[in-house]
Amino acid sequence: MRVGVLTGGGDCPGLNAVIRAIVRKGVQEYGYDFVGFRDGWRGPLEGDTVRLGIPAVRGILPRGGTILGSSRTNPLKAENGIRRIKDNLAKLDVQALVAIGGEDTLGVAARLSDEYGVPCVGVPKTIDNDLSATDYTFGFDTAVNIATEAIDRLHTTAESHMRVLVVEVMGRHAGWIAIHSGLAGGANVILIPEQRFDVEQVCAWVTSRFRASYAPIVVVAEGAMPKDGDVVLKDGSLDSFGHVRLSGVGEWLAKEIERRTGKEARTTVLGHVQRGGTPSAFDRWLATRFGLHAIDCVHDRDFGAMVALRGTDIVRVPLAEATAKLKTVDPKLYEEVGVFFG
């Protein structure tokens, strides 16, 4: 059997670990042949491939990014996209496809499998940790560690200058990175997309912190919104899946804090730093296990499934279930960490 592998959406620490595990087990135990599709769904759409074998995956376990490249190409919006993918898979004699990605990439895989009969298996990837069918996605742990280290470092400069430091982290619809790194890094305010925030309350927490002779750290997810406003956009452009480009809530909030409290405020936007570089040990472990179970899925011809982490077990769930809704921060969890605000 020849198996195709692709990585779609934003790059993420651990992608290469998945590819390595799929190829190593697929070749050694099942005798499969592999091709990698370049740049996400663009690869099968245009028939752009690279040969994958054991020599190609040696040494890639600790590397960030993806050796296959990635993109946000949406084949469902391309002219004759489904037909082109099916024709290219047939031409290349690819009998199964492993799609490694987040909500959008796996959403395409779900439709291809359920509606068009393309044999797909999914592997969940997103630093946002917002896929509801799995306890954790790989890449999340690395992103949290990077954000936490940044917050740790910012405490000292905030205290040296007695100024507010606003740290903007990734999180379009879910505040998992913000709440994990904010709590671990000792932030004084954490703002997430799931809970609209009151600027006056944020300023009150900031003022309270200064009264205690400490400089406050505010962690805000890029998708967080004030009660009387909307998300802050980088610009008005949309990607092929209809997502706006978010960035700027941190800078906007810092200006509001400075204007309302009279305290100096600065912003640090972590941006792509959170998803670049070498994966953490946990993400390497999880990504490797996902890869091993994904190729077992292919061997069992359990197509239309996604591998997921439940507790310490790797299980299989329908792709449609995995992409049906996002996993967001429970209000009770947010309330739980609120004791540290101010």
Side-chain angles (χ1 to χ4, degrees), residues 13-14 17-18 20 61-63 138-139 142 278-290:
V18 181
R20 170 180 174 269
L61 177 64
R63 284 175 57 182
F138 69 87
T142 304
T278 188
S280 67
F282 178 82
D283 280 339
R284 298 184 202 189
W285 175 87
L286 180 58
T288 297
R289 291 191 70 202
F290 276 164

Side-chain angles (χ1 to χ4, degrees), residues 166-179:
V166 179
V167 185
E168 183 182 312
V169 299
M170 285 185 168
R172 175 182 294 274
H173 301 296
W176 293 109
I177 295 176
I179 203 164

Side-chain angles (χ1 to χ4, degrees), residues 110-263:
R111 288 197 60 186
L112 287 175
S113 180
D114 293 346
E115 299 178 27
Y116 301 101
V118 177
C120 294
V121 168
V123 177
K125 168 241 65 166
T126 168
I127 67 167
D128 290 341
N129 197 41
D130 59 1
L131 286 173
S132 61
T134 184
D135 289 350
Y136 287 98
T137 54
F138 69 87
F140 172 66
D141 184 69
T142 304
V144 169
N145 285 337
I146 291 169
T148 302
E149 182 181 356
I151 295 166
D152 287 346
R153 292 176 179 274
L154 289 169
H155 272 291
T156 57
T157 193
E159 291 166 4
S160 296
H161 296 275
M162 288 305 289
R163 62 167 60 128
V164 185
L165 280 182
V166 179
V167 185
E168 183 182 312
V169 299
M170 285 185 168
R172 175 182 294 274
H173 301 296
W176 293 109
I177 295 176
I179 203 164
H180 276 246
S181 64
L183 184 62
N188 312 111
V189 182
I190 302 170
L191 306 175
I192 61 176
E194 295 89 338
Q195 301 281 332
R196 284 183 175 264
F197 62 88
D198 183 340
V199 181
E200 284 298 328
Q201 177 62 72
V202 172
C203 291
W205 283 327
V206 165
T207 302
S208 172
R209 185 68 174 175
F210 276 116
R211 285 199 198 102
S213 299
Y214 289 100
I217 299 286
V218 178
V219 174
V220 56
E222 62 185 347
M225 295 176 286
K227 285 185 176 179
D228 55 353
D230 208 339
V231 291
V232 179
L233 306 181
K234 187 177 183 67
D235 53 44
S237 63
L238 303 176
D239 66 18
S240 61
F241 288 93
H243 299 309
V244 294
R245 299 177 66 194
L246 300 181
S247 183
V249 66
E251 187 65 30
W252 176 85
L253 183 59
K255 290 178 180 177
E256 285 296 310
I257 291 172
E258 196 166 88
R259 182 177 68 84
R260 297 181 189 218
T261 68
K263 300 294 186 180

Side-chain angles (χ1 to χ4, degrees), residues 1-5 17-35 52-54 57 98 288 290-299:
M1 177 186 284
R2 175 170 289 175
V3 180
V5 182
V18 181
I19 297 168
R20 170 180 174 269
I22 289 170
V23 172
R24 285 286 298 271
K25 186 168 187 178
V27 171
Q28 291 173 200
E29 293 201 9
Y30 299 132
Y32 291 163
D33 185 34
F34 289 90
V35 294
L52 280 180
I54 289 180
V57 300
V98 180
T288 297
F290 276 164
L292 296 175
H293 283 261
I295 198 61
D296 287 343
C297 241
V298 170
H299 183 69

